[in-house]
Amino acid sequence: MSISATTPDKAIPRALSPWLTFLFAAACGLVAANLYYGQPLAGLISADLGFTPAATGLVVTLTQIGYGLGLLLIVPLGDLTESRRLVLLLISVSALALIGAALSSTPTAFLVASLCIGLSSVAVQVLVPFAANMAPDATRGQVVGNVMSGLLCGIMLARPFASFVAEASSWHTVYYITAALMIVLAVVLRANLPVRRPKTKLRYGELLASMGHLALTSRVLQRRALYQAGMFGAFSLFWTTTPLLLASPAFGLTQNGIALFALAGAAGAVASPIAGRLADRGMTKIASTIAMLLGMASFLIGHFAGDGSLIALILLTVAAIMLDFGVTTNLVCGQRAIYGLNPEHRSRLNGLFMATFFAGGALGSALGGWAYATGGWTMAAWIGFCFPALAFLLFLTEGRGRQEGKI
């Protein structure tokens, strides 16, 4: 289905066709992957461009900073400006930023490109509420789950893709290929996305100010964001420390071996449509309970996986799948809950939700690196366990009399 830029709002379909659902999912996956290519390439980029050892972490950190800023400053524009135009603009900037990264010959040039990659990658968080707005209430969770499965596949496949391409060619090639993908994606989306003009008439400053009010008054947003901050903190800690563990003398895996291990995490994307259907049926609390228990159990299992044996590698793989299932399920349930609030606030709510749990992920990564350096995998695993455990304790304080599925 192709809808031109001049199509009026009434032409937007009440439900997403299978093709458009797939397109949203694929677009989210391809754009989200841009955030993660630099992680396995940090060492190669650092050595090639002359970063100091202390500055190597900036290869990833600048992208994360850009993404965090974009969540708070750009995503809210989805409630103010025409969504299709905003998505296309951000993806075009992504293509230019990726080309800039590929052409970089100095640390400064690469870091500027990294910041722009992070900023423009928030196109994902414009696309998800865009899809949610097009879905009827009865199937909104299912639609969000299907779209999120594409996003999560992109996140989990980005690292092994970057590792394999860099091994076969160079890190520059990774960025050239992904820039080309963004150009093709922009052309396809321009031909297929409908126009959506929000009804909000606020100025940009008023729009940002309103986010503070939403953050302080929306109990659903507060709780779901904190639950996911705990889960995503565990996720980030796990995927920060397990490559270090697998590369250690105990396991001795190569870069390609670690990339293959990372593919196991992609299995978590299967949980997205399942979680969406459960949320649509009013089973959000049940699904969230299972998700947080899976998060805790994954670290308990992983605690016994540090000796480098084949059994340890299998346990670590099982732990990765369980954790990713839990994180994905809780994420979709959270998005289904906040998208059930005022439709005119969806982009702002989404930006606040994502920024909060993204901060939890940043904390998890920082604590994971420190814990592994200080006390090895054992200490990292226990700290990882605490993230979903604290989220679950908060979850247990929800009032019993509230209607299930609202939070």
Side-chain angles (χ1 to χ4, degrees):
M1 178 181 62
S2 177
I3 301 178
S4 69
T6 59
T7 302
D9 289 344
K10 65 182 181 181
I12 296 180
R14 288 183 55 81
L16 289 169
S17 66
W19 157 244
L20 206 49
T21 301
F22 169 79
L23 185 57
F24 270 106
C28 285
L30 289 170
V31 175
N34 294 336
L35 294 167
Y36 297 93
Y37 296 129
Q39 289 185 350
L41 303 177
L44 296 174
I45 294 168
S46 175
D48 191 24
L49 298 184
F51 282 82
T52 64
T56 298
L58 292 175
V59 170
V60 176
T61 302
L62 262 291
T63 306
Q64 294 175 333
I65 290 173
Y67 190 69
L69 290 173
L71 287 172
L72 295 174
L73 301 177
I74 297 176
V75 169
L77 287 171
D79 287 335
L80 189 63
T81 63
E82 199 277 299
S83 299
R84 176 175 173 269
R85 184 181 301 127
L86 180 59
V87 168
L88 293 176
L89 175 62
L90 289 171
I91 291 176
S92 298
V93 173
S94 282
L96 292 173
L98 290 163
I99 292 172
L103 293 173
S104 296
S105 58
T106 65
T108 300
F110 185 86
L111 293 179
V112 170
S114 294
L115 183 69
C116 293
I117 289 170
L119 278 169
S120 57
S121 293
V122 297
V124 167
Q125 302 309 333
V126 179
L127 282 164
V128 176
F130 191 171
N133 278 314
M134 294 176 63
D137 290 341
T139 59
R140 183 166 292 120
Q142 180 180 339
V143 167
V144 171
N146 289 335
V147 172
M148 289 302 297
S149 66
L151 185 151
L152 293 162
C153 281
I155 291 174
M156 298 311 302
L157 295 175
R159 284 170 286 227
F161 169 81
S163 294
F164 290 138
V165 172
E167 184 83 10
S169 181
S170 71
W171 67 265
H172 299 273
T173 305
V174 175
Y175 288 100
Y176 282 126
I177 291 174
T178 52
L181 287 174
M182 289 301 100
I183 294 170
V184 172
L185 179 62
V187 171
V188 175
L189 291 179
R190 188 179 188 280
N192 289 275
L193 284 186
V195 166
R196 175 186 170 267
R197 297 183 180 89
K199 298 178 181 179
T200 303
K201 301 300 182 183
L202 298 176
R203 296 177 180 176
Y204 181 64
E206 295 172 332
L207 189 78
L208 295 182
S210 70
M211 293 175 70
H213 177 73
L214 291 173
L216 292 173
T217 59
S218 176
R219 184 173 177 274
V220 173
L221 171 64
Q222 292 167 357
R223 282 188 167 269
R224 293 311 316 192
L226 289 174
Y227 301 157
Q228 190 60 20
M231 294 297 289
F232 197 63
F235 175 90
S236 296
L237 183 146
F238 184 91
W239 288 105
T240 296
T241 55
T242 50
L244 301 175
L245 174 64
L246 294 171
S248 70
F251 286 92
L253 293 189
T254 64
Q255 186 70 29
N256 281 343
I258 295 172
L260 289 172
F261 173 80
L263 290 174
V270 176
S272 290
I274 298 173
R277 287 174 173 82
L278 290 175
D280 284 336
R281 295 174 183 174
M283 300 173 68
T284 298
K285 287 192 173 182
I286 295 174
S288 296
T289 299
I290 294 171
M292 295 179 205
L293 291 176
L294 281 173
M296 290 185 279
S298 66
F299 281 98
L300 293 177
I301 292 174
H303 185 75
F304 300 101
D307 62 7
S309 65
L310 177 60
I311 293 177
L313 183 59
I314 293 172
L315 287 175
L316 205 59
T317 303
V318 172
I321 295 172
M322 290 175 63
L323 177 62
D324 288 358
F325 261 74
V327 172
T328 301
T329 298
N330 198 65
L331 174 59
V332 173
C333 288
Q335 288 184 302
R336 176 64 173 88
I338 66 169
Y339 291 160
L341 303 176
N342 192 328
E344 294 183 15
H345 298 160
R346 277 190 187 136
S347 290
R348 280 167 283 175
L349 290 167
N350 192 53
L352 289 165
F353 176 68
M354 292 288 172
T356 302
F357 86 68
F358 191 82
L363 178 62
S365 294
L367 285 178
W370 170 81
Y372 188 84
T374 303
W377 171 247
T378 299
M379 183 176 180
W382 280 120
I383 292 177
F385 171 83
C386 290
F387 276 92
L390 290 172
F392 188 59
L393 289 175
L394 177 62
F395 178 71
L396 293 176
T397 66
E398 285 187 9
R400 295 184 179 181
R402 293 184 173 84
Q403 183 180 357
E404 185 176 311
K406 294 296 183 184
I407 297 179

